[in-house]
């Protein structure tokens, strides 16, 4: 039986203009299924593809698009980023973190935008990784916004302007490296 979260993901995949309706919408209880589907091919993916009469590729793309829109909103708190509720068990939080990292980790995917999402997942995990961190995060979130200046929401790193490097600087760098390499090779030759 297809999950509610998967049905939402497929509906959003077919009508992406509806993504704005996700703002403020409570996450479905079974969002873990979609997180798992986004992470990698597995038997669950094959079974659900046959059940909902969709290709495995479409299901993975739908799951990933849904998660990008539902979990990674600019004002999302740590619970939302990991796709859990405040009363979720530590085991479930850990499970969601692992699945999300399996999907987003830069060593697996290598795409910059997904690496930035992995940074947000790590940020959320840092706040929810154990009971003490969760309590401290709860205290932070309970403070008025002016007092903690937005600490409980993710603040992205500033993006600087692209720096241009002159070709003269590059040539100078490479010529030094080449000269060093030649000197090293000459020394090895003389030593031999």
């Amino acid at each position: 039986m297809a999950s509610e979260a998967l049905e939402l993901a497929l509906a959003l995949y077919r009508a992406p203009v509806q993504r704005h309706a996700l703002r403020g919408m409570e996450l479905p209880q079974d969002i873990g299924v979609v997180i798992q589907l986004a992470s990698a091919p597995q038997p669950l993916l094959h079974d659900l593809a046959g059940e909902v009469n969709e290709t495995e590729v479409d299901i993975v793309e739908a799951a990933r698009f849904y998660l990008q829109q539902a979990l990674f909103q600019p004002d999302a708190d740590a619970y939302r980023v990991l796709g859990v509720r405040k009363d979720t068990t530590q085991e479930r939080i850990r499970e969601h973190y692992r699945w999300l990292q399996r999907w987003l980790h830069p060593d697996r995917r290598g795409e910059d935008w997904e690496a930035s999402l992995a940074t947000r997942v790590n940020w959320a995990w840092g706040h929810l990784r154990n009971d003490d961190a969760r309590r401290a995060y709860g205290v932070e979130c309970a403070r008025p916004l002016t007092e903690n200046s937005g600490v409980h929401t993710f603040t992205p790193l500033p993006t600087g302007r692209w720096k241009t490097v002159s070709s003269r600087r590059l040539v100078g760098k490479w010529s030094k490296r080449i000269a060093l390499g030649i000197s090293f090779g000459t020394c090895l030759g003389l030593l031999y």
Side-chain angles (χ1 to χ4, degrees):
M1 182 172 159
S3 72
E4 174 191 357
L6 179 58
E7 289 176 8
L8 278 171
L10 289 169
L12 183 64
Y13 188 63
R14 292 181 193 116
V17 75
Q18 298 297 323
R19 69 187 182 279
H20 302 293
L22 293 176
R23 287 209 179 270
M25 179 187 262
E26 193 170 314
L27 296 173
Q29 287 279 26
D30 59 351
I31 195 166
V33 171
V34 175
I35 292 172
Q36 188 176 352
L37 291 170
S39 69
Q42 57 210 275
L44 175 65
L45 176 61
H46 179 71
D47 295 344
L48 286 175
E51 192 175 312
V52 296
N53 200 24
E54 293 283 346
T55 67
E56 291 181 14
V57 171
D58 283 345
I59 289 178
V60 169
E61 288 301 312
R64 290 176 177 174
F65 181 66
Y66 174 76
L67 293 174
Q68 290 164 17
Q69 301 303 315
L71 302 184
F72 300 108
Q73 298 170 2
D75 59 344
D77 67 359
Y79 290 99
R80 180 124 188 158
V81 169
L82 291 179
V84 296
R85 296 168 191 226
K86 291 183 180 178
D87 60 347
T88 302
T89 65
Q90 200 62 39
E91 179 71 26
R92 178 61 48 96
I93 292 171
R94 186 174 292 110
E95 180 181 273
H96 282 208
Y97 171 73
R98 286 182 185 152
W99 285 115
L100 287 166
Q101 280 299 345
R102 189 172 179 188
W103 164 38
L104 297 168
H105 197 278
D107 289 346
R108 288 183 167 271
R109 307 283 299 163
E111 297 176 20
D112 289 341
W113 66 270
E114 287 178 332
S116 70
L117 296 182
T119 301
R120 291 191 68 185
V121 169
N122 285 330
W123 167 84
W125 173 248
H127 288 295
L128 306 178
R129 70 183 176 277
N130 58 41
D131 291 334
D132 293 336
R134 282 175 83 172
R135 266 191 298 281
Y137 183 66
V139 169
E140 278 181 25
C141 291
R143 285 190 227 146
L145 191 59
T146 57
E147 190 176 321
N148 68 5
S149 66
V151 175
H152 64 275
T153 58
F154 179 79
T155 44
L157 297 171
T159 54
R161 295 171 51 107
W162 286 98
K163 293 182 180 177
T164 56
V165 179
S166 70
S167 59
R168 178 181 285 174
R169 221 168 114 194
L170 283 176
V171 169
K173 221 181 225 187
W174 281 105
S175 62
K176 288 177 187 176
R177 289 180 181 169
I178 291 170
L180 183 63
I182 291 171
S183 299
F184 184 70
T186 305
C187 288
L188 281 177
L190 290 173
L191 202 71
Y192 178 69

Short mmCIF file of all heavy atoms in Angstrom, two decimals, residues 52-87:
data_model
loop_
_atom_site.label_atom_id
_atom_site.label_comp_id
_atom_site.label_asym_id
_atom_site.label_seq_id
_atom_site.Cartn_x
_atom_site.Cartn_y
_atom_site.Cartn_z
N VAL A 52 2.51 1.54 -7.48
CA VAL A 52 1.91 2.81 -7.91
C VAL A 52 2.00 3.00 -9.42
O VAL A 52 1.63 4.06 -9.93
CB VAL A 52 2.55 4.01 -7.18
CG1 VAL A 52 2.27 3.95 -5.71
CG2 VAL A 52 4.02 4.13 -7.47
N ASN A 53 2.52 2.00 -10.11
CA ASN A 53 2.60 2.02 -11.57
C ASN A 53 3.41 3.22 -12.09
O ASN A 53 2.98 3.94 -12.99
CB ASN A 53 1.20 1.97 -12.19
CG ASN A 53 1.25 1.51 -13.62
OD1 ASN A 53 2.19 0.83 -14.04
ND2 ASN A 53 0.24 1.88 -14.39
N GLU A 54 4.58 3.43 -11.48
CA GLU A 54 5.51 4.49 -11.89
C GLU A 54 6.89 3.85 -12.07
O GLU A 54 7.17 2.80 -11.50
CB GLU A 54 5.61 5.58 -10.81
CG GLU A 54 4.36 6.38 -10.61
CD GLU A 54 4.13 7.43 -11.68
OE1 GLU A 54 5.05 7.74 -12.45
OE2 GLU A 54 3.00 7.95 -11.75
N THR A 55 7.75 4.52 -12.82
CA THR A 55 9.11 4.00 -12.96
C THR A 55 9.89 4.32 -11.68
O THR A 55 9.57 5.27 -10.96
CB THR A 55 9.84 4.64 -14.16
OG1 THR A 55 10.05 6.03 -13.89
CG2 THR A 55 9.04 4.45 -15.45
N GLU A 56 10.92 3.53 -11.44
CA GLU A 56 11.77 3.77 -10.27
C GLU A 56 12.44 5.14 -10.35
O GLU A 56 12.55 5.84 -9.35
CB GLU A 56 12.81 2.66 -10.13
CG GLU A 56 12.21 1.33 -9.75
CD GLU A 56 13.24 0.22 -9.59
OE1 GLU A 56 14.45 0.52 -9.52
OE2 GLU A 56 12.81 -0.95 -9.53
N VAL A 57 12.84 5.53 -11.54
CA VAL A 57 13.49 6.84 -11.73
C VAL A 57 12.52 7.96 -11.36
O VAL A 57 12.90 8.92 -10.66
CB VAL A 57 13.98 7.00 -13.19
CG1 VAL A 57 14.45 8.42 -13.45
CG2 VAL A 57 15.08 6.00 -13.48
N ASP A 58 11.27 7.86 -11.80
CA ASP A 58 10.28 8.89 -11.48
C ASP A 58 10.00 8.94 -9.98
O ASP A 58 9.83 10.03 -9.42
CB ASP A 58 8.98 8.65 -12.24
CG ASP A 58 9.08 9.07 -13.70
OD1 ASP A 58 10.04 9.78 -14.05
OD2 ASP A 58 8.19 8.68 -14.49
N ILE A 59 9.98 7.80 -9.33
CA ILE A 59 9.73 7.79 -7.89
C ILE A 59 10.88 8.46 -7.14
O ILE A 59 10.65 9.28 -6.25
CB ILE A 59 9.49 6.35 -7.38
CG1 ILE A 59 8.13 5.87 -7.88
CG2 ILE A 59 9.57 6.29 -5.87
CD1 ILE A 59 7.80 4.46 -7.49
N VAL A 60 12.10 8.15 -7.52
CA VAL A 60 13.26 8.77 -6.86
C VAL A 60 13.25 10.28 -7.09
O VAL A 60 13.45 11.06 -6.16
CB VAL A 60 14.58 8.13 -7.34
CG1 VAL A 60 15.78 8.94 -6.86
CG2 VAL A 60 14.69 6.70 -6.87
N GLU A 61 13.01 10.69 -8.32
CA GLU A 61 12.97 12.14 -8.62
C GLU A 61 11.84 12.82 -7.87
O GLU A 61 12.01 13.93 -7.35
CB GLU A 61 12.83 12.37 -10.13
CG GLU A 61 14.09 12.04 -10.90
CD GLU A 61 15.29 12.85 -10.45
OE1 GLU A 61 15.19 14.08 -10.30
OE2 GLU A 61 16.34 12.24 -10.22
N ALA A 62 10.67 12.19 -7.81
CA ALA A 62 9.53 12.76 -7.07
C ALA A 62 9.86 12.87 -5.59
O ALA A 62 9.56 13.89 -4.95
CB ALA A 62 8.29 11.90 -7.29
N ALA A 63 10.47 11.84 -5.03
CA ALA A 63 10.83 11.85 -3.61
C ALA A 63 11.82 12.98 -3.32
O ALA A 63 11.66 13.73 -2.36
CB ALA A 63 11.42 10.50 -3.21
N ARG A 64 12.83 13.11 -4.16
CA ARG A 64 13.84 14.14 -3.94
C ARG A 64 13.28 15.55 -4.08
O ARG A 64 13.58 16.44 -3.30
CB ARG A 64 15.03 13.93 -4.88
CG ARG A 64 15.82 12.70 -4.50
CD ARG A 64 16.93 12.40 -5.45
NE ARG A 64 17.69 11.24 -4.97
CZ ARG A 64 18.66 10.66 -5.64
NH1 ARG A 64 19.03 11.13 -6.82
NH2 ARG A 64 19.27 9.61 -5.13
N PHE A 65 12.44 15.74 -5.09
CA PHE A 65 11.83 17.06 -5.28
C PHE A 65 10.93 17.41 -4.10
O PHE A 65 10.97 18.53 -3.58
CB PHE A 65 11.05 17.10 -6.60
CG PHE A 65 10.43 18.44 -6.88
CD1 PHE A 65 11.23 19.54 -7.14
CD2 PHE A 65 9.06 18.60 -6.88
CE1 PHE A 65 10.66 20.79 -7.39
CE2 PHE A 65 8.48 19.83 -7.13
CZ PHE A 65 9.29 20.93 -7.39
N TYR A 66 10.14 16.46 -3.66
CA TYR A 66 9.24 16.69 -2.53
C TYR A 66 10.06 17.05 -1.28
O TYR A 66 9.73 18.00 -0.58
CB TYR A 66 8.39 15.44 -2.26
CG TYR A 66 7.55 15.56 -1.02
CD1 TYR A 66 6.40 16.35 -1.01
CD2 TYR A 66 7.90 14.91 0.15
CE1 TYR A 66 5.64 16.47 0.14
CE2 TYR A 66 7.15 15.03 1.29
CZ TYR A 66 6.02 15.82 1.28
OH TYR A 66 5.27 15.95 2.42
N LEU A 67 11.11 16.32 -1.02
CA LEU A 67 11.92 16.59 0.18
C LEU A 67 12.60 17.94 0.09
O LEU A 67 12.69 18.67 1.09
CB LEU A 67 12.94 15.47 0.38
CG LEU A 67 12.35 14.11 0.74
CD1 LEU A 67 13.44 13.06 0.78
CD2 LEU A 67 11.58 14.16 2.05
N GLN A 68 13.09 18.31 -1.10
CA GLN A 68 13.71 19.63 -1.25
C GLN A 68 12.72 20.72 -0.90
O GLN A 68 13.06 21.70 -0.24
CB GLN A 68 14.18 19.82 -2.68
CG GLN A 68 15.36 18.98 -3.07
CD GLN A 68 15.54 18.93 -4.57
OE1 GLN A 68 15.00 19.74 -5.31
NE2 GLN A 68 16.30 17.96 -5.04
N GLN A 69 11.48 20.55 -1.33
CA GLN A 69 10.46 21.57 -1.10
C GLN A 69 9.89 21.53 0.32
O GLN A 69 9.59 22.57 0.89
CB GLN A 69 9.32 21.42 -2.12
CG GLN A 69 9.76 21.52 -3.55
CD GLN A 69 10.47 22.82 -3.86
OE1 GLN A 69 10.04 23.90 -3.47
NE2 GLN A 69 11.59 22.74 -4.55
N ALA A 70 9.73 20.34 0.88
CA ALA A 70 9.08 20.21 2.18
C ALA A 70 10.03 20.40 3.36
O ALA A 70 9.64 20.99 4.37
CB ALA A 70 8.41 18.84 2.29
N LEU A 71 11.25 19.91 3.25
CA LEU A 71 12.15 19.93 4.40
C LEU A 71 13.08 21.14 4.43
O LEU A 71 13.45 21.61 5.50
CB LEU A 71 13.03 18.67 4.42
CG LEU A 71 12.33 17.33 4.47
CD1 LEU A 71 13.35 16.21 4.58
CD2 LEU A 71 11.32 17.25 5.58
N PHE A 72 13.47 21.63 3.29
CA PHE A 72 14.54 22.62 3.24
C PHE A 72 14.05 24.03 2.95
O PHE A 72 14.70 24.78 2.23
CB PHE A 72 15.60 22.18 2.24
CG PHE A 72 16.21 20.85 2.60
CD1 PHE A 72 15.91 19.72 1.86
CD2 PHE A 72 17.05 20.74 3.68
CE1 PHE A 72 16.46 18.50 2.19
CE2 PHE A 72 17.60 19.51 4.04
CZ PHE A 72 17.31 18.39 3.29
N GLN A 73 12.93 24.39 3.52
CA GLN A 73 12.44 25.75 3.40
C GLN A 73 13.38 26.67 4.17
O GLN A 73 14.01 26.24 5.15
CB GLN A 73 11.03 25.85 3.95
CG GLN A 73 10.04 25.00 3.19
CD GLN A 73 8.69 24.92 3.89
OE1 GLN A 73 8.47 25.52 4.93
NE2 GLN A 73 7.79 24.14 3.32
N PRO A 74 13.52 27.92 3.76
CA PRO A 74 14.49 28.81 4.41
C PRO A 74 14.28 28.95 5.92
O PRO A 74 15.24 29.07 6.67
CB PRO A 74 14.27 30.15 3.71
CG PRO A 74 13.69 29.80 2.40
CD PRO A 74 12.89 28.55 2.62
N ASP A 75 13.05 28.93 6.38
CA ASP A 75 12.79 29.12 7.81
C ASP A 75 12.58 27.81 8.57
O ASP A 75 12.10 27.81 9.69
CB ASP A 75 11.56 30.01 7.98
CG ASP A 75 10.32 29.43 7.33
OD1 ASP A 75 10.45 28.50 6.50
OD2 ASP A 75 9.20 29.89 7.64
N ALA A 76 12.97 26.69 7.97
CA ALA A 76 12.76 25.38 8.60
C ALA A 76 13.64 25.23 9.84
O ALA A 76 14.80 25.58 9.84
CB ALA A 76 13.07 24.27 7.61
N ASP A 77 13.03 24.69 10.90
CA ASP A 77 13.80 24.41 12.10
C ASP A 77 14.47 23.04 11.96
O ASP A 77 14.32 22.35 10.95
CB ASP A 77 12.92 24.49 13.34
CG ASP A 77 11.87 23.40 13.41
OD1 ASP A 77 11.76 22.56 12.49
OD2 ASP A 77 11.12 23.38 14.41
N ALA A 78 15.24 22.66 12.97
CA ALA A 78 16.01 21.41 12.91
C ALA A 78 15.11 20.19 12.77
O ALA A 78 15.46 19.23 12.07
CB ALA A 78 16.89 21.29 14.15
N TYR A 79 13.96 20.21 13.40
CA TYR A 79 13.04 19.07 13.30
C TYR A 79 12.53 18.90 11.88
O TYR A 79 12.49 17.80 11.34
CB TYR A 79 11.86 19.24 14.27
CG TYR A 79 12.26 19.10 15.72
CD1 TYR A 79 12.49 20.23 16.50
CD2 TYR A 79 12.42 17.85 16.30
CE1 TYR A 79 12.86 20.11 17.82
CE2 TYR A 79 12.79 17.72 17.63
CZ TYR A 79 13.01 18.85 18.39
OH TYR A 79 13.38 18.72 19.70
N ARG A 80 12.16 20.00 11.28
CA ARG A 80 11.63 19.94 9.91
C ARG A 80 12.71 19.47 8.93
O ARG A 80 12.44 18.67 8.04
CB ARG A 80 11.10 21.30 9.48
CG ARG A 80 10.54 21.30 8.07
CD ARG A 80 9.16 21.76 8.06
NE ARG A 80 8.52 21.59 6.77
CZ ARG A 80 7.22 21.53 6.64
NH1 ARG A 80 6.46 21.62 7.68
NH2 ARG A 80 6.69 21.39 5.46
N VAL A 81 13.93 19.97 9.09
CA VAL A 81 15.01 19.60 8.17
C VAL A 81 15.24 18.09 8.20
O VAL A 81 15.49 17.48 7.16
CB VAL A 81 16.31 20.36 8.51
CG1 VAL A 81 17.49 19.80 7.76
CG2 VAL A 81 16.14 21.85 8.20
N LEU A 82 15.10 17.48 9.37
CA LEU A 82 15.29 16.03 9.46
C LEU A 82 13.98 15.25 9.23
O LEU A 82 13.98 14.02 9.27
CB LEU A 82 15.88 15.66 10.82
CG LEU A 82 17.33 16.11 11.03
CD1 LEU A 82 17.81 15.72 12.42
CD2 LEU A 82 18.25 15.55 9.97
N GLY A 83 12.89 15.97 8.98
CA GLY A 83 11.62 15.31 8.67
C GLY A 83 11.01 14.60 9.86
O GLY A 83 10.39 13.54 9.70
N VAL A 84 11.18 15.16 11.06
CA VAL A 84 10.64 14.54 12.26
C VAL A 84 9.80 15.55 13.04
O VAL A 84 9.85 16.75 12.77
CB VAL A 84 11.77 13.99 13.16
CG1 VAL A 84 12.51 12.87 12.46
CG2 VAL A 84 12.73 15.07 13.61
N ARG A 85 9.07 15.04 14.02
CA ARG A 85 8.29 15.90 14.91
C ARG A 85 9.02 16.02 16.24
O ARG A 85 9.94 15.26 16.51
CB ARG A 85 6.90 15.30 15.11
CG ARG A 85 6.14 15.26 13.81
CD ARG A 85 4.90 14.43 13.89
NE ARG A 85 4.41 14.27 12.53
CZ ARG A 85 3.17 14.44 12.19
NH1 ARG A 85 2.26 14.71 13.08
NH2 ARG A 85 2.81 14.29 10.93
N LYS A 86 8.58 16.93 17.06
CA LYS A 86 9.27 17.18 18.33
C LYS A 86 9.20 16.00 19.28
O LYS A 86 10.07 15.83 20.12
CB LYS A 86 8.72 18.44 18.99
CG LYS A 86 9.09 19.66 18.20
CD LYS A 86 8.65 20.94 18.83
CE LYS A 86 9.11 22.06 17.92
NZ LYS A 86 8.76 23.36 18.32
N ASP A 87 8.20 15.16 19.14
CA ASP A 87 8.07 14.01 20.05
C ASP A 87 8.66 12.72 19.45
O ASP A 87 8.48 11.64 19.99
CB ASP A 87 6.60 13.79 20.42
CG ASP A 87 5.73 13.51 19.20
OD1 ASP A 87 6.19 13.72 18.06
OD2 ASP A 87 4.58 13.08 19.39
#
